[in-house]
Amino acid sequence: MQDIQRNNNPKRPTVFVSHPRCKFGGMVTRIGPEDWPEAVARTEGPQMIVSGPGAGKTEFLVRRALHLINELGVKPESMLLLSFSRRSASDLRHRISSRLNRSFTEVPSSTFHALAARLIEANGPQVLGLRRVPALLTAPEQVDLVQSLLATEDPKRWPVPHRAMLTSHTFAVEVTDFILRCRDLLVDAPTLATRVQERDQWRGLDLFLSRYDARLAQEDRIDYGTLQSRAVEVLADEEVAAQVTAAHPYILVDEFQDTTRVQAEMLRLLYGGHRNLTVTGDPYQSIYSFRGADASNLTDFPTSFPDADGNPAAHFALTTSFRVRQEILRSAERITAGGALPEVAGPVESAPGPSSVEVYRFTQQSEEAEWIAAEAERLHRVEGIPYGEIAVLVRTKRRILSELSRALDRRGIAHDRPDARSIDQPAIRIVLDIVIAATGAGEERAAAVQRLLLGPLYSVTLGRWRELERAAARAHTGWVSVLRSEIPEAGDLADLIENPSWATDKPAADGFWYLWEHLDRFDVFAVAADGSARRALSSLSQVLTRLRERNEGATLADYTTIAESEEFEALPLLAFDAPQEDRLALTTMHQAKGLEFQAVFIADATEGVLPDLRPRDSFLDTRLLDTRQSVDRSEYALARLREEMRLAYTAMCRASSRVVWTTTASGVAEDHGSPSRFLAAVAGVLTVDDALESPGDSSVPVTPRAVLASLRRAVRDVGSGEAAPRLAALGALAARSDLPAFAHGTVERGPEDGLVAPDMTLSPSQAEAFDTCPRRYVLERRLHVGDTSTVYLHFGSLIHEVLEGTEKAALDAGEPRGTEEAALIHLEEQFDPVQFGGEPWATGWRRRAEECLARLYRNWPDGSLPVVDVERSFRTDIAGHTWTGRADRVEGAEGRLRIVDYKTSGSAKSVAEGKESLQLAFYALAANADEGLGGTVSAAELWYPAARGAKSVTVRKLAMEDLDELEERLGEAATGIFAGSWEPTPSDACDRCRVRQLCPAWPEGNEAFA
């Protein structure tokens, strides 16, 4: 029990003495709403303000800043307000400025990175000996620099497993993250040199870190991590620290639980002159450990930041949440029970008013997304909740996000998507495509030209594009001549492509304006429509100008390469989207931190997704740079689980009145795992099954579209046993003359021709599918019946991605093939338990992948030649038609080539089937016609490293002597496809056919065509 000392003065705060769950001793002063004026006015000395969600931590800082300015006469510019993100820093600045009784007042609210940049700009030359202010590297630019340095490393300085990866992008990302964590933890090269003795996998990193630092100094550049560690060096100068602390006698910091160790050290050096430091935070909202955030900064604050007499800093706890109501708050607290964090805030009283927490289960992800969108629409139309007060939160962007967005789009609900990047805005995309068309080659250039011609600049039809594509193939002179001869209005585009110096030699901003001036249609497009293109291009111009400030030599081609990186997002100074005030928030749980809504949906709450317990351990064991981290992986896993608990807690507490958890869990066969373990705690029941219920279909339709859907469901409800409601619904539908026939549940049978475009490109997999059964081919490949993502497809994609990365790294390193160790590293990076239904199924699939790779590399098939290409694209003509395909591996030596295609199924083709494989035949024919390979195919093989019961890799070889006959069969398949001949070919494979119920060759399929 807590030892509570109370006094009889209701205006004095309640005091908790020696709180038993506090990590540190001392007094915790509890502040209720009535105590705020007195607490806000206590401005002197170090103080920690801690509370639960919605209790007003940020508002407390705002009021303290206003008190300092309005009551004590402190100049706004002399205060220093710091926060974790640009968004929260901007919010702080706006909330203070809008409540000041004065104009043109600058409130210095910023992030730690911005503060570090100002410190280095002002003091770098005299303290650090810098020649000039260094240019700041973006994250992709930093990875690029690291990769270029790794490529010139002496492999002998590195552990054997690392040597083959020194030229790979993946390893560069790992090393870049290692450097960032070194900066966060203030580990420099000499310190790292002593630590290298402890861990062999760090060997070489200390010398590399020294090389990296020297290159930064040589080029006058700096990365975000180094920016902060160098700022600590600046503040370590007593004269500078005295000047800065004198200029800022009051420091206010929000979200202190999200700070890193280097940021805490910056504060320690800053506050020493006056000790007037106030920080706010909630350790149960510490969710950024993957970015280096250290929750102990908050819990250790009283002892780490003592007052002038050496006493612990004052510790205040806000008692009342003004946003989160009881049912939501208590449910969120149940999730974090046993979270192993000191309760520095004590119990939090909930906000008044009713609230609800619900948990719903669905059988399909599309059903889950549709229900959420429909319920959001109902909340808006029936309950009057603005869309801006509704949020749909997901743990990861990779699963249900696109489905949710489509469901919202179908209802016309405006929403924000976290994966919408400025470089994907149509106007900016056009600029990047012109650069790619001018500087790229082969398929990359052709794809860029295609996007440009089909897009708003030229509006070429798809049929016309096909004609141009064939003309380019016949001309053998490239796209420049085709554009000039076939599309006269695109002559200026041809000029830009023919002479790309504007993109490769000029600074990026200059190259952009050259493009603007020399492409006639561009300015017309930019000023048309709703102005969004103009805003986007203005933003791009500003981004490119800032790029010149960071890197004077960066060209538009360089920018395009960086921008195409998945991690990149140029942050424009002006928003390019047309403003829409009432937009539903569709975002990740991490990105929602700090936001507030009336209703929150937490979607895709499936085990393996939430909690996400995928190993985040890097190959370099980067987390062990923090000496407080345990090497025990079970302890690490437990820490990961606790952070996921805190993430769920944070997400729930974004809502004031309603939280809805949804999950799709139908078993691993449908690519879904079990419901999240958190759902039992959310619902306050013993088991997850007890928490789940179906939302049902009892809601009243609220839109014309929903009314029609309801009527159609009523017509189809043959199980109701009552004819009258069905007849009434059918009559209501029939009365609508504006509806198409299919609205009433009937449709005329359509023709079977017209399913293949005359100029369609063929592939060897299509030929094999047609050769096996034309009926199955047309249903699956042309009509996409039975399309579904299965765990087996995910397994095959995983193995192919791992082998592609491994063999590409070997090719780049000049090795004949990769190694098992390198393949397992790529597996570690690529494996996502979510794709395999979460645990425990994911563990079994991971083990199967490891066994597959081990079998392949330990029993590499005989006759192997050095790899000459991976994922080789082929394009050739057979029987008067264009065919394309991609071979997994091409080996070659002395004019001999071997084509290899990996197969990940558990059963292999028979030897006879392998001999007449149309897929291998196509690869052999195309490779023989590919002058770039410089050889003749002597062997083409299918490799089955996952075949059940085999101790080595099962290999099936093409009968090269039958290549002419197989070419004829490819031609016959092409003729049948374009003739529209879809007669079924029954065989033993029919038992495993996904579309058998639609096949007239079987009794169950006859009904569909009666």
Side-chain angles (χ1 to χ4, degrees):
M1 297 295 292
Q2 295 160 340
D3 180 17
I4 304 176
Q5 175 184 327
R6 302 183 183 274
N7 68 54
N8 296 324
N9 185 346
K11 294 185 178 181
R12 295 292 303 278
T14 302
V15 177
F16 278 62
V17 180
S18 301
H19 195 297
R21 291 180 66 184
C22 282
K23 186 175 180 180
F24 40 83
M27 301 174 64
V28 181
T29 304
R30 305 266 294 164
I31 302 174
E34 69 281 358
D35 303 314
W36 273 51
E38 179 183 346
V40 165
R42 178 181 170 176
T43 59
E44 305 304 304
Q47 303 172 41
M48 177 175 72
I49 315 297
V50 184
S51 77
K57 296 182 294 294
T58 303
E59 176 64 17
F60 190 94
L61 277 191
V62 170
R63 293 192 189 184
R64 174 157 289 177
L66 292 170
H67 177 82
L68 287 168
I69 297 169
N70 295 331
E71 304 300 327
L72 301 186
V74 176
K75 294 180 179 180
E77 60 271 18
S78 69
M79 290 190 307
L80 183 59
L81 289 95
L82 296 170
S83 192
F84 173 68
S85 67
R86 281 179 294 220
R87 183 178 68 189
S88 55
S90 176
D91 178 58
L92 261 178
R93 186 185 309 113
H94 173 73
R95 289 169 67 173
I96 295 171
S97 300
S98 63
R99 289 154 69 175
L100 283 174
N101 299 322
R102 61 185 75 181
S103 302
F104 309 110
T105 299
E106 181 65 25
V107 178
S109 173
S110 71
T111 63
F112 282 90
H113 288 98
L115 172 64
R118 293 204 303 270
L119 288 169
I120 292 175
E121 183 177 6
N123 305 284
Q126 62 269 32
V127 177
L128 303 175
L130 300 178
R131 294 174 294 181
R132 58 177 179 173
V133 177
L136 186 60
L137 292 168
T138 63
E141 287 172 335
Q142 184 184 7
V143 173
D144 185 60
L145 175 60
V146 169
Q147 185 169 0
S148 66
L149 287 173
L150 285 172
T152 60
E153 278 285 287
D154 180 0
K156 295 179 181 178
R157 293 206 312 229
W158 293 78
V160 172
H162 297 181
R163 295 173 184 174
M165 298 186 294
L166 288 174
T167 57
S168 74
H169 178 78
T170 302
F171 191 63
V173 173
E174 289 264 2
V175 174
T176 302
D177 182 63
F178 189 90
I179 293 172
L180 288 173
R181 296 290 81 80
C182 284
R183 304 309 194 205
D184 285 340
L185 297 165
L186 293 171
V187 175
D188 56 14
T191 305
L192 183 60
T194 62
R195 300 281 306 278
V196 164
Q197 307 304 318
E198 308 166 14
R199 313 201 70 79
D200 183 65
Q201 71 263 48
W202 293 353
R203 183 158 49 87
L205 283 165
D206 53 334
L207 296 176
F208 179 79
L209 186 57
S210 296
R211 278 192 69 203
Y212 175 78
D213 287 339
R215 176 63 68 86
L216 290 181
Q218 177 187 346
E219 298 182 355
D220 291 320
R221 304 170 86 184
I222 197 167
D223 61 64
Y224 279 98
T226 307
L227 183 72
Q228 295 183 113
S229 62
R230 299 309 301 269
V232 168
E233 294 180 44
V234 168
L235 290 172
D237 184 286
E238 294 182 1
E239 183 177 345
V240 172
Q243 292 174 354
V244 176
T245 53
H248 300 291
Y250 291 94
I251 304 174
L252 309 177
V253 184
D254 199 15
E255 303 289 2
F256 192 63
Q257 78 277 352
D258 293 328
T259 54
T260 63
R261 190 176 300 181
V262 68
Q263 291 167 346
E265 182 64 13
M266 286 173 62
L267 278 183
R268 191 185 67 78
L269 295 169
L270 274 172
Y271 98 117
H274 50 68
R275 307 279 172 166
N276 298 326
L277 169 64
T278 303
V279 304
T280 68
D282 179 359
Y284 279 92
Q285 294 189 60
S286 176
I287 57 175
Y288 289 107
S289 66
F290 63 93
R291 291 184 182 174
D294 189 344
S296 67
N297 285 343
L298 184 68
T299 55
D300 293 346
F301 180 85
T303 52
S304 299
F305 292 82
D307 63 18
D309 297 325
N311 299 314
H315 178 183
F316 297 91
L318 307 180
T319 63
T320 305
S321 177
F322 300 102
R323 178 181 74 242
V324 188
R325 299 173 185 173
Q326 183 171 4
E327 183 63 28
I328 296 173
L329 185 59
R330 300 300 168 241
S331 179
E333 289 172 346
R334 286 195 296 267
I335 294 180
T336 55
L341 278 175
E343 181 148 356
V344 295
V348 178
E349 297 179 18
S350 58
S355 62
S356 66
V357 178
E358 302 149 49
V359 178
Y360 295 128
R361 179 180 191 166
F362 300 87
T363 56
Q364 297 181 36
Q365 207 165 70
S366 57
E367 179 191 11
E368 179 181 358
E370 285 294 327
W371 183 87
I372 291 173
E375 183 64 9
E377 186 175 41
R378 190 193 68 79
L379 289 174
H380 177 69
R381 295 182 180 274
V382 177
E383 300 186 19
I385 299 178
Y387 283 125
E389 289 291 322
I390 303 172
V392 182
L393 308 183
V394 294
R395 178 63 180 85
T396 174
K397 300 177 182 180
R398 290 176 297 174
R399 283 173 49 96
I400 198 174
L401 191 80
S402 297
E403 194 77 56
L404 281 166
S405 186
R406 287 192 293 269
L408 293 167
D409 282 337
R410 282 191 287 272
R411 289 166 174 79
I413 300 175
H415 58 283
D416 295 313
R417 286 194 54 175
D419 59 346
R421 306 181 301 168
S422 63
I423 63 169
D424 294 324
Q425 205 278 348
I428 296 179
R429 187 71 255 173
I430 286 175
V431 174
L432 302 188
D433 281 339
I434 295 173
V435 175
I436 294 171
T439 61
E443 292 184 4
E444 182 186 38
R445 168 175 284 180
V449 172
Q450 179 185 20
R451 291 191 294 267
L452 290 169
L453 295 183
L454 295 177
L457 282 183
Y458 301 99
S459 301
V460 168
T461 65
L462 185 59
R464 177 62 172 147
W465 159 254
R466 298 297 187 194
E467 294 174 2
L468 295 171
E469 194 175 27
R470 286 192 289 270
R474 290 193 300 268
H476 299 294
T477 55
W479 281 101
V480 171
S481 62
V482 171
L483 290 174
R484 285 185 176 141
S485 61
E486 301 288 340
I487 307 181
E489 64 270 27
D492 48 3
L493 176 62
D495 293 339
L496 291 169
I497 295 175
E498 186 176 39
N499 181 12
S501 59
W502 58 274
T504 57
D505 298 340
K506 296 177 179 290
D510 296 343
F512 171 66
W513 289 114
Y514 182 93
L515 183 154
W516 184 291
E517 293 171 355
H518 289 79
L519 193 67
D520 291 339
R521 290 173 169 252
F522 200 68
D523 56 347
V524 177
F525 163 74
V527 300
D530 61 357
S532 62
R534 184 173 63 254
R535 287 191 294 272
L537 295 170
S538 296
S539 295
L540 177 62
S541 173
Q542 295 174 43
V543 169
L544 297 178
T545 300
R546 286 190 288 170
L547 177 64
R548 188 204 299 266
E549 295 169 359
R550 295 198 313 271
N551 184 356
E552 293 181 356
T555 66
L556 200 52
D558 295 330
Y559 173 80
T560 302
T561 301
I562 296 170
E564 291 295 323
S565 166
E566 183 180 351
E567 302 167 354
F568 179 80
E569 167 59 329
L571 294 168
L573 300 179
L574 299 175
F576 56 78
D577 280 331
Q580 294 190 43
E581 294 182 359
D582 196 22
R583 299 172 69 87
L584 179 145
L586 175 55
T587 186
T588 64
M589 297 167 74
H590 281 98
Q591 290 172 322
K593 188 172 184 292
L595 302 179
E596 300 178 6
F597 307 93
Q598 288 189 50
V600 166
F601 296 85
I602 301 176
D604 199 22
T606 305
E607 192 68 19
V609 179
L610 180 66
D612 178 4
L613 300 179
R614 287 177 297 165
R616 283 197 190 136
D617 265 4
S618 67
F619 181 61
L620 298 172
D621 274 338
T622 302
R623 69 182 182 88
L624 296 180
L625 280 167
D626 186 347
T627 55
R628 296 170 301 178
Q629 290 284 338
S630 171
V631 296
D632 188 333
R633 292 191 177 270
S634 62
E635 289 188 23
Y636 170 60
L638 182 58
R640 287 285 317 284
L641 175 60
R642 287 168 175 164
E643 180 157 332
E644 292 292 298
M645 291 176 178
R646 299 196 295 273
L647 178 62
Y649 168 94
T650 302
M652 288 191 69
C653 294
R654 300 308 94 207
S656 61
S657 59
R658 187 184 183 196
V659 174
V660 181
W661 286 73
T662 62
T663 180
T664 297
S666 303
V668 71
E670 282 73 30
D671 190 34
H672 298 294
S674 56
S676 169
R677 68 186 75 181
F678 291 163
L679 297 182
V682 167
V685 295
L686 292 178
T687 68
V688 171
D689 284 341
D690 293 336
L692 301 173
E693 59 179 304
S694 170
D697 189 31
S698 58
S699 60
V700 177
V702 296
T703 65
R705 181 178 179 276
V707 170
L708 290 176
S710 178
L711 290 172
R712 291 173 190 145
R713 285 195 297 270
V715 170
R716 293 198 303 267
D717 188 13
V718 295
S720 65
E722 298 183 15
R726 295 180 60 219
L727 290 172
L730 184 59
L733 286 169
R736 292 288 302 273
S737 60
D738 58 324
L739 293 178
F742 67 79
H744 314 322
T746 60
V747 63
E748 294 290 335
R749 179 174 177 175
E752 292 192 353
D753 58 358
L755 296 176
V756 178
D759 55 354
M760 183 184 76
T761 299
L762 295 173
S763 68
S765 62
Q766 289 189 59
E768 286 204 334
F770 182 87
D771 190 62
T772 301
C773 177
R775 194 72 181 187
R776 182 173 181 178
Y777 163 80
V778 72
L779 289 171
E780 291 186 340
R781 303 300 291 270
R782 304 264 51 89
L783 298 177
H784 303 286
V785 176
D787 267 4
T788 183
S789 178
T790 70
V791 70
Y792 300 100
L793 291 177
H794 288 311
F795 180 77
S797 297
L798 172 68
I799 296 299
H800 277 78
E801 289 172 5
V802 169
L803 291 175
E804 178 184 354
T806 304
E807 296 306 307
K808 180 67 165 58
L811 178 62
D812 293 342
E815 301 293 335
R817 62 181 174 88
T819 64
E820 179 184 348
E821 292 78 10
L824 293 177
I825 292 168
H826 281 90
L827 175 64
E828 178 78 20
E829 295 161 353
Q830 298 287 343
F831 187 79
D832 182 358
V834 171
Q835 304 289 352
F836 298 93
E839 300 298 344
W841 299 282
T843 298
W845 282 103
R846 182 191 182 95
R847 188 178 301 115
R848 181 172 175 177
E850 291 171 347
E851 292 171 354
C852 173
L853 295 170
R855 181 182 297 167
L856 175 60
Y857 282 101
R858 294 176 189 177
N859 304 278
W860 197 263
D862 294 335
S864 179
L865 302 171
V867 60
V868 297
D869 203 357
V870 294
E871 291 297 313
R872 178 78 174 192
S873 295
F874 292 115
R875 187 181 187 91
T876 191
D877 287 340
I878 297 176
H881 298 285
T882 301
W883 294 66
T884 62
R886 189 184 298 268
D888 292 333
R889 176 185 178 87
V890 181
E891 302 176 343
E894 299 177 351
R896 293 184 300 118
L897 299 175
R898 176 162 78 163
I899 309 295
V900 174
D901 197 65
Y902 310 121
K903 299 296 182 183
T904 57
S905 64
S907 58
K909 288 179 179 286
S910 67
V911 173
E913 289 171 331
K915 287 182 177 181
E916 55 186 30
S917 167
L918 295 183
Q919 187 174 24
L920 290 180
F922 168 78
Y923 291 146
L925 292 166
N928 284 335
D930 189 336
E931 297 179 358
L933 290 175
T936 302
V937 176
S938 60
E941 301 173 354
L942 302 173
W943 290 4
Y944 292 86
R948 289 185 292 271
K951 294 183 179 180
S952 60
V953 179
T954 301
V955 177
R956 296 293 180 253
K957 299 183 178 182
L958 180 72
M960 296 298 299
E961 64 274 13
D962 297 336
L963 200 54
D964 291 340
E965 180 183 336
L966 293 171
E967 183 175 8
E968 291 181 9
R969 284 182 56 189
L970 286 169
E972 291 168 1
T975 300
I977 289 173
F978 284 102
S981 175
W982 313 127
E983 291 302 316
T985 307
S987 68
D988 294 341
C990 291
D991 293 336
R992 301 181 298 277
C993 179
R994 294 180 296 178
V995 295
R996 174 169 164 170
Q997 66 270 29
L998 298 177
C999 179
W1002 293 91
E1004 58 266 38
N1006 273 324
E1007 276 190 35
F1009 301 96

